[in-house]
């Protein structure tokens, strides 16, 4: 463990940003081999060697998707890398031929008319060159076809309205600003036509060249930032609204045993001097209601209330400070809300009438696949076979 690097140290040594390393983790390109109990990324020597391969392939002009496919191929070899590089060079040659044709056409137009300013000519040439670094010819044709004169006029009118909101200092939660964000998002979806690669190419163009250059002067950086913040706020509001509906649905569909689980979970949290109901509280509540199928399934794998409580108490003693005030109604943590959402989705999908303790335990296991809280730490410490546990819960005798 002594040779492991934290993400900040690795970023400093390689010159990459922490954001880039996190993105590589999210897309599965460079997943750190280790994590701390607090979920901090730790990179091994093998991870660093893989990163060097990634950076080398990036220098050859490979896309991240191509790099991942290359590194995940067990038959990965130097000849394959060369073949891929040759294919990329062929694409670049095709782009150069297209650029040559467009500039030749522009030169012919200039011979018949001297009205184009030198500055405009240079800007046009730079725009063509820059765009073709990111978009294929097919994508450029689609972009030009979908941004006709009427749509460009609508875009200009839209941006004028956005700038007026900026000048007024409108809050991002303002209904009109949120409507603007919705229009932008819908317009972008319509522009790319559901093509993820087209969208990613446009985003690379904006990120690396800047809003003003990428939009040919139509959109400045501050306006783009204002729009993106409003869109982010809209997305969060929509997500929270959906979650609130699901949690409300879940709380309205609790079976008597499940209600008892939450009650026992809150009691266990008070006993541990905690002012929230986290995944550990759900687990203790499930174990406390011994008659449920979930408790019996856990018991068969050696997990009992006393042993789980001891593990949780020991972990909390080393990682938390007891709060000074514990409310009468202990609130749910975000992870607990997420587990209730997952349980509600199971009920909706299966057509069951009520949320049972089995649904809650399945929610803990499902949420644990993307990280998991203290409940998953307890199950893993106890050596629980999560796959077998899922099968047993989905197919109770």
């Amino acid at each position: 463990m002594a040779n492991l690097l934290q993400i900040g140290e690795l970023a400093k040594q390689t010159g990459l940003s922490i954001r880039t390393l996190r993105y590589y983790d999210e897309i599965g390109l460079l997943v750190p081999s280790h994590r701390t109990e607090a979920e901090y990324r730790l990179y091994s020597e093998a991870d660093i060697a893989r990163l060097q391969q990634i950076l080398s392939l990036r220098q050859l002009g490979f896309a991240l998707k191509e790099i991942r496919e290359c590194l995940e191929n067990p038959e990965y070899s130097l000849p394959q890398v060369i073949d891929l590089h040759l294919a990329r060079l062929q694409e670049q040659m095709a782009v150069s031929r297209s650029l040559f044709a467009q500039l030749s056409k522009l030169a012919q137009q200039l011979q018949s008319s001297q009205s184009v300013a030198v500055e405009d000519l240079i800007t046009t040439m730079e725009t063509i060159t820059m765009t073709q670094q990111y978009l294929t010819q097919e994508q450029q044709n689609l972009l030009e076809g979908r941004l006709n004169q009427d749509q460009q006029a609508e875009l200009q009118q839209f941006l004028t309205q956005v700038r007026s909101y900026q000048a007024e200092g409108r809050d991002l939660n303002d209904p009109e600003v949120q409507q603007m964000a919705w229009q932008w998002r819908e317009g972008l979806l319509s522009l790319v036509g559901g093509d993820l690669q087209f969208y990613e190419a446009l985003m690379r163009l904006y990120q690396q060249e800047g809003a003003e250059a990428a939009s040919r002067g139509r959109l400045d950086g501050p306006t783009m930032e204002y729009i993106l913040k409003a869109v982010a706020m809209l997305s969060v509001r929509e997500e929270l609204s959906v979650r609130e509906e699901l949690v409300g649905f879940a709380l309205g569909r609790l079976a008597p045993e499940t209600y008892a689980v939450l009650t026992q979970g809150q009691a266990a949290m008070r006993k541990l001097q905690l002012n929230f109901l986290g995944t550990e509280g759900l687990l203790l509540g499930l174990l406390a209601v011994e008659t449920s199928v979930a408790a019996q399934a856990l018991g068969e794998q050696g997990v009992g209330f006393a042993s789980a409580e001891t593990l949780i108490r020991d972990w909390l003693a080393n990682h938390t400070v007891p709060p000074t005030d514990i409310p009468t109604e202990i609130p749910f943590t975000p992870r607990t809300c997420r587990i209730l959402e997952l349980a509600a989705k199971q009920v909706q999908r299966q057509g069951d009438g009520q949320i049972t303790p089995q649904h809650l335990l399945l929610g803990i296991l499902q949420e644990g696949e993307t990280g998991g809280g203290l409940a998953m730490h307890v199950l893993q410490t106890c050596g629980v076979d999560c796959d077998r546990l899922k099968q047993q819960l989905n197919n109770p005798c």
Side-chain angles (χ1 to χ4, degrees):
M1 297 290 285
N3 294 327
L4 298 179
L5 292 182
Q6 292 187 2
I7 191 169
E9 296 170 332
L10 182 60
K12 186 176 181 180
Q13 288 191 18
T14 60
L16 296 173
S17 66
I18 292 177
R19 182 178 179 182
T20 296
L21 291 172
R22 285 175 178 163
Y23 180 64
Y24 285 177
D25 183 10
E26 290 171 7
I27 64 174
L29 182 60
L30 181 67
V31 179
S33 300
H34 305 275
R35 290 180 186 267
T36 66
E37 289 185 349
E39 291 298 309
Y40 291 118
R41 296 170 175 83
L42 295 174
Y43 294 85
S44 66
E45 291 182 359
D47 297 331
I48 297 170
R50 180 180 174 92
L51 179 58
Q52 292 296 337
Q53 291 177 314
I54 292 169
L55 296 179
S56 296
L57 292 172
R58 283 289 281 168
Q59 288 180 343
L60 290 175
F62 288 10
L64 295 180
K65 181 180 178 183
E66 293 171 332
I67 294 174
R68 183 171 57 195
E69 291 172 352
C70 189
L71 296 182
E72 290 177 355
N73 186 347
E75 299 178 355
Y76 165 65
S77 63
L78 182 59
Q80 287 179 312
V81 173
I82 294 173
D83 288 342
L84 285 170
H85 192 37
L86 287 173
R88 176 52 53 87
L89 288 174
Q90 286 180 328
E91 291 178 7
Q92 292 173 350
M93 289 166 63
V95 168
S96 297
R97 286 194 295 269
S98 175
L99 177 59
F100 179 84
Q102 291 188 51
L103 291 177
S104 297
K105 181 179 179 181
L106 184 59
Q108 290 175 355
Q109 292 173 348
L110 287 171
Q111 288 177 356
S112 60
S113 173
Q114 301 299 320
S115 60
V116 179
V118 174
E119 291 82 0
D120 293 338
L121 173 61
I122 293 173
T123 300
T124 300
M125 293 169 60
E126 287 177 344
T127 300
I128 293 171
T129 305
M130 176 192 67
T131 304
Q132 292 192 335
Q133 289 176 355
Y134 301 93
L135 305 180
T136 65
Q137 188 61 52
E138 182 182 2
Q139 289 170 341
Q140 288 186 73
N141 294 338
L142 284 172
L143 186 61
E144 292 172 6
R146 289 170 183 170
L147 282 178
N148 56 41
Q149 288 187 344
D150 290 341
Q151 289 170 320
Q152 291 188 30
E154 289 177 8
L155 175 61
Q156 194 57 50
Q157 185 179 3
F158 172 84
L159 293 176
T160 300
Q161 184 67 66
V162 173
R163 292 187 179 103
S164 72
Y165 291 156
Q166 273 183 289
E168 294 168 14
R170 292 277 193 102
D171 190 276
L172 296 176
N173 284 307
D174 184 288
E176 290 185 332
V177 175
Q178 288 290 284
Q179 176 63 22
M180 173 273 294
W182 182 86
Q183 285 180 270
W184 174 269
R185 191 175 64 182
E186 292 303 303
L188 182 58
L189 290 172
S190 175
L191 180 64
V192 301
D195 187 334
L196 180 59
Q197 290 184 334
F198 190 9
Y199 170 76
E200 290 175 341
L202 284 175
M203 290 306 99
R204 284 195 298 272
L205 173 59
Y206 272 83
Q207 288 171 2
Q208 297 188 29
E209 301 296 339
E212 190 164 358
S215 64
R216 304 187 188 186
R218 298 187 188 93
L219 182 59
D220 58 278
T223 303
M224 182 65 171
E225 183 179 359
Y226 183 78
I227 292 171
L228 292 179
K229 285 181 178 178
V231 171
M233 182 68 73
L234 174 66
S235 299
V236 170
R237 287 171 64 92
E238 289 177 342
E239 179 66 20
L240 289 177
S241 177
V242 171
R243 290 189 172 191
E244 186 176 345
E245 289 179 9
L246 282 169
V247 172
F249 173 86
L251 294 177
R253 295 292 184 92
L254 298 179
E257 269 191 328
T258 313
Y259 185 81
V261 166
L262 296 182
T263 302
Q264 292 291 338
Q266 287 197 335
M269 291 296 93
R270 289 194 185 91
K271 185 178 176 182
L272 291 169
Q273 295 186 314
L274 295 175
N275 57 359
F276 56 83
L277 181 60
T279 63
E280 64 277 16
L282 287 183
L283 179 61
L284 290 176
L286 286 166
L287 291 167
V289 182
E290 298 177 349
T291 56
S292 73
V293 172
Q296 292 169 7
L298 288 168
E300 289 176 11
Q301 295 212 36
V303 184
F305 184 91
S307 59
E309 185 184 42
T310 299
L311 286 170
I312 292 169
R313 191 183 298 278
D314 291 344
W315 190 93
L316 292 172
N318 295 320
H319 295 84
T320 63
V321 176
T324 57
D325 182 40
I326 300 178
T328 304
E329 192 69 24
I330 297 178
F332 299 147
T333 64
R335 282 192 189 277
T336 298
C337 289
R338 175 61 178 157
I339 289 167
L340 287 170
E341 294 166 28
L342 294 170
K345 288 180 179 178
Q346 291 174 47
V347 170
Q348 290 176 331
R349 187 167 55 249
Q350 296 168 1
D352 296 339
Q354 293 183 311
I355 293 175
T356 65
Q358 294 103 287
H359 291 126
L360 286 185
L361 184 50
L362 283 168
I364 289 175
L365 296 173
Q366 186 177 347
E367 199 276 336
E369 293 173 357
T370 57
L374 187 47
M376 282 301 297
H377 170 73
V378 171
L379 296 181
Q380 290 166 355
T381 302
C382 292
V384 170
D385 184 337
C386 293
D387 290 335
R388 184 162 69 88
L389 183 57
K390 286 179 190 176
Q391 285 186 336
Q392 189 172 352
L393 293 170
N394 283 315
N395 302 288
C397 298

